[in-house]
Amino acid sequence: MSTSVTEQGRELIAAWTQIDRGVAEWVLKLAEFDASGVWAEDGYGSCATWLVAQCQISRSSAFEKLKVSHVLTRRHVVRAAFEAGLQWSKVRVLARLDGVDDERDEVFVEQAKADSVRVLEQRVETWNYYNNQDKKPTNLDDHYGIVRQRGFGGGLGKVVIEAPDDMLDRFFSVIDAYGDYLFRNPTSADESTVWTDPQAVDNFDDEPKRGPGAKRLDWLFDLMEERALVDPHKIDPYKAVVGVTIQYEDLMNASGPGLSSQGTWLTGEAVRRMCCDAGIHRIVVKGESEILDFGHEERLFNRVLRRAIRFRHMHQCAVRGCGRRITHTHHMKWWEHGGETCIDNGIPLCSYHHHLVHEGGWTVAWNPTTGVTRLDGPKGQVLETTTTFRLAA
């Protein structure tokens, strides 16, 4: 075991050890808390959303800690090592070992005590690979997926695809074959000169180089859009649209970001680039451009109202920590009790929280002055959420 020769170093190591022990105690209690279901009494649809809202941790961290806590209920050797002082950073790696095998776990625990986290990750990854290479997955959906992750900032995001290696080989083979076709069949005279005119080659070389990854991404989008043109009856154009909301002044003055219908902040330049070849629709809370207030004569919120209300709540459920993007528009003062179908009386709720309000005895309200959504439970529970993006009255 390594240590520090400086007093400050020893203090930091001791403090980190205390933090690590606190995490261990917390994680070991988490599975029991999840299984009890008492988090539902606070108005949440899952233990993960409870953790996000009440403990202020990221959704990915919440799911990881939940997964590890449940793994430790079955992996008694790893749990005992955790309780005895094995670091959280190593336990979370050991939790990735497939299956339950006490003899194997004893070997890995001993290796973990001496290994760095990086070396331990390599051991676990290698063991899982050799152990599972000849096994047929019991549920293929557990091994397939495409997810969007937080990027590096600066307007860049990240998409991760997890699939069997043979499927990924097919994926890249198709994209590269399409790129080869584009190389052999330029679509314009200007593109042809890039490969035949020496002067054009010199000018082209002065431009920033695009790596193979960037080119493949261009080809992928070309393929998707080309397929949509071939079979337009299979894709609803409205559903495929990316909506972006931006302040009118920011759009006109080339400043300020915009909010996409996926809940992603886009740079102002990206929004203006999209507007070069897009229809523009204004969302107006009060004004003459569109009628947003139907009073009590209409019960259902129309598309314009729903769009404006969802925008006000970042295109997701208004309840703190929920994050679900498939929502219903709820009358805060119920229509049958005299509530109006207007923007100030509408709020987006996911199916779970909508059921809480209608069948669970909860009430919901939104304050247009402060931008705070308040959900009150039948046992005195209170969930308050501040609207990040608020439409002007």
Side-chain angles (χ1 to χ4, degrees):
M1 179 182 294
S2 59
T3 186
S4 175
V5 297
T6 67
E7 182 178 353
Q8 287 181 316
R10 290 193 294 272
E11 289 177 355
L12 286 171
I13 292 172
W16 184 255
T17 301
Q18 289 181 339
I19 294 173
D20 205 67
R21 289 299 85 206
V23 171
E25 294 177 4
W26 187 86
V27 169
L28 290 172
K29 295 177 181 178
L30 186 55
E32 181 180 352
F33 177 70
D34 184 19
S36 70
V38 296
W39 36 262
E41 296 184 17
D42 289 330
Y44 296 93
S46 69
C47 186
T49 55
W50 186 95
L51 291 172
V52 171
Q54 298 291 352
C55 298
Q56 296 294 296
I57 61 179
S58 68
R59 190 170 297 273
S60 59
S61 180
F63 278 111
E64 180 192 46
K65 288 178 171 59
L66 273 170
K67 178 180 178 181
V68 174
S69 68
H70 284 287
V71 166
L72 293 177
T73 62
R74 304 186 299 272
R75 305 269 296 282
H76 305 295
V77 173
V78 178
R79 180 188 177 102
F82 196 21
E83 293 174 327
L86 188 62
Q87 296 90 341
W88 158 252
S89 58
K90 295 182 178 180
V91 170
R92 62 194 288 267
V93 176
L94 291 177
R96 301 173 196 164
L97 283 165
D98 293 333
V100 178
D101 186 329
D102 289 346
E103 184 176 347
R104 175 210 59 190
D105 282 350
E106 289 176 356
V107 174
F108 270 90
V109 164
E110 289 303 313
Q111 292 172 332
K113 294 176 182 178
D115 284 346
S116 67
V117 174
R118 179 57 185 152
V119 170
L120 184 61
E121 287 177 333
Q122 292 174 336
R123 289 188 190 277
V124 170
E125 183 179 348
T126 302
W127 192 93
N128 284 341
Y129 178 80
Y130 280 105
N131 186 58
N132 296 323
Q133 62 179 337
D134 295 326
K135 290 183 179 180
K136 183 179 180 180
T138 55
N139 185 355
L140 291 177
D141 290 338
D142 292 341
H143 298 265
Y144 294 1
I146 177 170
V147 294
R148 183 173 184 169
Q149 296 182 351
R150 187 178 299 276
F152 300 101
L156 293 177
K158 183 191 299 183
V159 172
V160 177
I161 300 175
E162 291 187 290
D165 287 329
D166 60 304
M167 183 177 288
L168 293 177
D169 284 345
R170 290 170 51 203
F171 176 79
F172 284 109
S173 294
V174 171
I175 294 176
D176 290 342
Y178 183 70
D180 182 65
Y181 165 79
L182 294 179
F183 176 76
R184 291 183 289 102
N185 298 274
T187 57
S188 69
D190 290 338
E191 290 180 357
S192 298
T193 59
V194 170
W195 307 108
T196 60
D197 181 14
Q199 182 62 41
V201 173
D202 290 339
N203 293 336
F204 183 75
D205 286 341
D206 291 336
E207 298 296 325
K209 297 293 186 182
R210 290 178 62 78
K215 293 178 181 178
R216 278 172 164 169
L217 186 60
D218 290 339
W219 300 337
L220 175 60
F221 281 117
D222 286 346
L223 278 171
M224 290 193 300
E225 292 178 355
E226 191 172 288
R227 184 62 183 175
L229 292 174
V230 171
D231 291 318
H233 62 284
K234 292 184 178 179
I235 297 178
D236 183 342
Y238 180 76
K239 291 183 179 179
V241 164
V242 177
V244 180
T245 307
I246 187 171
Q247 296 287 349
Y248 178 77
E249 293 80 5
D250 290 341
L251 180 62
M252 293 297 101
N253 299 329
S255 63
L259 185 67
S260 81
S261 53
Q262 294 286 331
T264 304
W265 283 105
L266 305 176
T267 63
E269 195 58 42
V271 175
R272 283 177 284 281
R273 171 165 41 81
M274 296 172 71
C275 287
C276 289
D277 188 27
I280 299 177
H281 179 86
R282 291 185 294 172
I283 295 179
V284 181
V285 179
K286 299 287 193 299
E288 298 179 356
S289 297
E290 290 180 310
I291 300 174
L292 297 182
D293 191 337
F294 285 83
H296 194 60
E297 295 181 2
E298 290 285 344
R299 173 165 185 163
L300 299 179
F301 290 92
N302 72 351
R303 189 171 69 188
V304 174
L305 276 172
R306 290 197 302 270
R307 183 190 299 140
I309 291 168
R310 278 175 52 81
F311 160 71
R312 184 176 65 201
H313 294 275
M314 300 292 288
H315 302 281
Q316 60 186 354
C317 179
V319 178
R320 176 183 179 184
C322 179
R324 294 177 180 172
R325 296 193 173 276
I326 299 178
T327 58
H328 310 154
T329 304
H330 169 73
H331 288 77
M332 287 179 281
K333 182 178 180 181
W334 291 14
W335 190 81
E336 49 265 46
H337 297 161
E340 296 183 346
T341 301
C342 63
I343 191 169
D344 287 340
N345 193 40
I347 193 165
L349 296 175
C350 68
S351 177
Y352 174 79
H353 286 109
H354 206 180
H355 279 289
L356 278 188
V357 171
H358 278 271
E359 288 88 22
W362 292 67
T363 60
V364 63
W366 177 73
N367 187 323
T369 303
T370 62
V372 173
T373 300
R374 180 182 173 114
L375 197 68
D376 290 271
K379 297 182 180 179
Q381 309 97 315
V382 176
L383 302 178
E384 287 191 344
T385 307
T386 301
T387 304
T388 305
F389 203 101
R390 191 162 73 248
L391 289 174

